[in-house]
Amino acid sequence: MKVDNGTTNFAVYEDATEFYGMAEVTLPEISQIAEEVKGAGISGAFNGAFVGHIEAMTLTLNFRSVTADAIKLAEPRNHQLDLRAAQQYWDNTAGKFVQQAVKHVLIVTPTKFAPGKLAPAASAEASGEYAATYFATYIDGVKKMEIDILNFIYYVNGTDYLADVRKALGKA
């Protein structure tokens, strides 16, 4: 039996450069685009999700202070970020804690930069928001999820759910 314990620590990289002073990251929410389905032969209505079609994704980065790195991420261009985490779980069979490597890869563009506040002996609470068009997750080096909005990829646990869509559109 394994019991998830949480994130031990994390680091954020762009171009193999680590961003120091990162307080926390809020990863994008993955919400399927859905349309209400109702009509003949249905005794009501339901939300029918369009497989692999995702609502806009947003990444939020919170910084302890305004740094040159935080300002670099405000440059109006694509940024490829690697978010690397050590996640701890309890392995009851082995009787020990285990660290699991989790990596999130995102391609983002900035939409908002908030330099925060100034106060004596306090964090500035600076932050940035970024539109994400690509989001992949690897656990212990194995790709578990890949969402690439611009290239019609919606891959989860070994299956690309948009492969047939790409084929139908002549993109395969």
Side-chain angles (χ1 to χ4, degrees):
M1 175 178 71
K2 295 179 182 177
V3 180
D4 294 326
N5 195 215
T7 301
T8 303
N9 214 322
F10 76 101
V12 177
Y13 295 87
E14 180 181 30
D15 304 325
T17 301
E18 184 174 359
F19 289 89
Y20 295 102
M22 187 74 57
E24 65 182 20
V25 174
T26 302
L27 295 167
E29 217 174 81
I30 301 164
S31 298
Q32 303 285 331
I33 294 174
E35 181 74 25
E36 186 177 274
V37 178
K38 61 183 177 180
I42 300 173
S43 64
F46 66 93
N47 282 331
F50 289 94
V51 174
H53 286 64
I54 307 300
E55 298 281 351
M57 296 185 294
T58 301
L59 172 75
T60 303
L61 302 177
N62 295 310
F63 304 91
R64 295 189 198 295
S65 58
V66 177
T67 65
D69 288 334
I71 292 171
K72 178 183 175 192
L73 288 174
E75 293 173 2
R77 62 177 178 84
N78 277 350
H79 298 268
Q80 180 173 324
L81 302 178
D82 287 2
L83 291 77
R84 301 176 190 181
Q87 289 184 171
Q88 180 174 289
Y89 67 86
W90 174 255
D91 184 335
N92 200 44
T93 305
K96 65 179 184 176
F97 287 108
V98 176
Q99 296 297 323
Q100 183 174 53
V102 177
K103 180 169 80 168
H104 303 287
V105 178
L106 295 106
I107 296 177
V108 300
T109 54
T111 58
K112 178 180 176 183
F113 177 65
K117 64 181 183 180
L118 296 175
S123 167
E125 298 177 11
S127 66
E129 289 184 11
Y130 309 87
T133 57
Y134 180 89
F135 182 16
T137 298
Y138 298 81
I139 299 176
D140 289 330
V142 177
K143 181 170 62 173
K144 294 295 188 175
M145 180 187 73
E146 179 182 31
I147 298 169
D148 188 340
I149 293 171
L150 301 178
N151 291 302
F152 283 88
I153 296 171
Y154 187 77
Y155 174 97
V156 179
N157 284 329
T159 301
D160 184 350
Y161 292 93
L162 287 178
D164 290 341
V165 174
R166 285 194 309 278
K167 184 177 177 183
L169 297 175
K171 296 178 179 281

